[in-house]
Amino acid sequence: MSHIHRIQWFDQQIRNACYPNSNILAEQFEISRRQAQRDIEYMAESLRAPLRYVASQRGYMYEDNSFVLPHLYITDEEQQVLKYLAYRYSHYDYENGQTIRRVGGLLERFTDQPLQAGEYRLPLFEVNARRLQVIGLLEQAIQARNVIHILCRKQPDKPQELYLCPLKLSRRLDEDYVLAAIEGNSRTEFFNLTEILQLKLTDRYFAADDEFSAAPPEQNRQLKPFTARIRLSGMPADSSWGGYTIRSADGEVYEIEFFDTEAFVGQLFSSEWTEILSPKWLKEKVRIRCQNVLNLLNEQESRSDH
């Protein structure tokens, strides 16, 4: 349950003369009493709610019943941007770092109220749409303990397909990283988000941190990549094609290696090519995917005509 819903519920309890307090709020939403108290402090300090604690009732009331909560709805896109900025400010470690990190903590809680001009000027961060998406997927994977499939380029011309168990996000030297272990391996390392070319959540899960080394040994075996023969309309700019290892076979025909079929089909849909020569099952998979999309579009057009 979001911070918004808790505040709206607390406001309604006050208006119903139920005299809510932090204990009641914590029990209602199964959160800690400390978190509940922060919600109440937020109402008083940021939303300017005229709260008054009534000792005889052991709860809160409004000193001014004309008070109305400000517009609290935030779109999903706005929440994503705020969450990203909170992450960046929380990891700020330069001039006035302590004050700015507190701003990061504030942004973790929703608000549509403009920040008051203060003594410190906030640093500006670029909000990159792709980075927002990657961080969002990583946060989801970390919370749910999903194994992720990534295509990354740690060295020029040497892209890798990896299955990772992401543990936490981090920021070092003005770069964003995810601390992760390769599936089946207990050793962790930092992966720079700028080097992640593609990222996808799998339907597999990993165990607790101290159980990584207990992963089945078969997960460590090296998988043999598939090889597709694709005719391209022109020569790739470098020795990779969207991050995939590629080599010239015959004229405009190239051989491309891949491990994850769904990820590679996604690459085909987002890139330019003229013909899939092999394997046949890949051509069929792409054809079926295209047919499914056409069927959906035709159904949509048919409904709009009625």
Side-chain angles (χ1 to χ4, degrees):
M1 187 66 67
S2 73
H3 185 67
I4 296 175
H5 292 92
R6 295 198 300 268
I7 286 181
Q8 290 174 332
W9 180 87
F10 198 86
D11 172 78
Q12 191 59 50
Q13 292 296 300
I14 292 178
R15 298 188 188 282
N16 292 340
C18 294
Y19 296 93
N21 57 34
S22 58
N23 287 329
I24 294 174
L25 181 61
E27 292 175 2
Q28 174 68 23
F29 293 98
E30 298 181 349
I31 59 176
S32 68
R33 185 177 179 278
R34 182 178 178 182
Q35 186 175 2
Q37 188 60 43
R38 286 201 300 266
D39 288 348
I40 296 172
E41 292 172 357
Y42 179 82
M43 290 183 67
E45 297 173 7
S46 297
L47 302 183
R48 302 294 187 265
L51 292 173
R52 180 165 70 87
Y53 184 79
V54 182
S56 60
Q57 299 291 339
R58 298 184 178 180
Y60 290 89
M61 61 169 287
Y62 286 145
E63 290 185 316
D64 181 0
N65 290 328
S66 65
F67 169 76
V68 178
L69 284 175
H71 178 62
L72 298 178
Y73 178 74
I74 299 177
T75 67
D76 290 342
E77 182 180 359
E78 290 168 338
Q79 288 180 352
Q80 193 176 21
V81 171
L82 284 177
K83 196 170 187 179
Y84 175 70
L85 291 175
Y87 163 72
R88 295 295 298 271
Y89 285 130
S90 297
H91 288 80
Y92 189 79
D93 198 24
Y94 300 98
E95 184 180 1
N96 303 321
Q98 185 175 0
T99 299
I100 290 168
R101 284 193 296 272
R102 284 201 296 268
V103 173
L106 176 63
L107 288 176
E108 289 177 357
R109 311 165 72 182
F110 77 90
T111 177
D112 59 358
Q113 302 297 310
L115 294 174
Q116 300 296 320
E119 182 180 355
Y120 306 105
R121 173 179 293 181
L122 295 178
L124 298 178
F125 293 124
E126 177 186 3
V127 178
N128 181 284
R130 184 182 179 279
R131 184 67 57 83
L132 285 177
Q133 182 181 14
V134 169
I135 289 178
L137 287 173
L138 285 171
E139 288 178 332
Q140 181 181 342
I142 291 169
Q143 183 175 3
R145 293 192 174 276
N146 278 109
V147 174
I148 61 172
H149 167 263
I150 69 166
L151 184 67
C152 70
R153 188 185 308 188
K154 303 204 80 170
Q155 297 179 9
D157 303 330
K158 290 186 178 180
Q160 291 179 288
E161 281 191 87
L162 298 172
Y163 288 92
L164 302 181
C165 304
L167 303 177
K168 69 175 182 178
L169 289 166
S170 179
R171 182 162 179 81
R172 305 158 60 202
L173 302 176
D174 287 335
E175 293 287 349
D176 295 308
Y177 293 83
V178 58
L179 178 65
I182 296 176
E183 188 180 25
N185 191 329
S186 60
R187 186 174 67 88
T188 60
E189 61 180 294
F190 287 97
F191 293 84
N192 192 325
L193 299 196
T194 61
E195 296 171 346
I196 296 179
L197 306 176
Q198 293 183 18
L199 185 150
K200 178 183 176 183
L201 273 63
T202 73
D203 57 2
R204 301 199 300 275
Y205 298 89
F206 59 92
D209 299 358
D210 56 355
E211 297 179 8
F212 279 131
S213 57
E218 60 267 23
Q219 289 185 341
N220 292 319
R221 69 176 185 270
Q222 295 295 320
L223 299 177
K224 183 178 179 180
F226 299 109
T227 300
R229 289 173 61 87
I230 309 290
R231 189 184 303 277
L232 304 179
S233 57
M235 182 180 298
D238 53 29
S239 60
S240 70
W241 187 59
Y244 288 90
T245 301
I246 185 171
R247 56 181 176 270
S248 178
D250 181 18
E252 295 181 341
V253 177
Y254 293 84
E255 292 182 346
I256 306 170
E257 294 183 349
F258 64 97
F259 290 90
D260 189 288
T261 302
E262 291 301 319
F264 188 68
V265 169
Q267 168 68 15
L268 290 171
F269 273 89
S270 61
S271 305
E272 295 184 2
W273 48 272
T274 58
E275 185 179 4
I276 300 175
L277 300 174
S278 65
K280 290 184 178 180
W281 59 263
L282 179 62
K283 295 167 60 177
E284 182 65 13
K285 183 177 283 289
V286 172
R287 187 191 67 78
I288 292 175
R289 181 75 67 83
C290 291
Q291 187 61 56
N292 290 338
V293 172
L294 286 174
N295 291 341
L296 288 173
L297 291 174
N298 290 336
E299 290 176 7
Q300 181 180 354
E301 185 175 351
S302 178
R303 287 195 300 270
S304 63
D305 291 339
H306 292 293

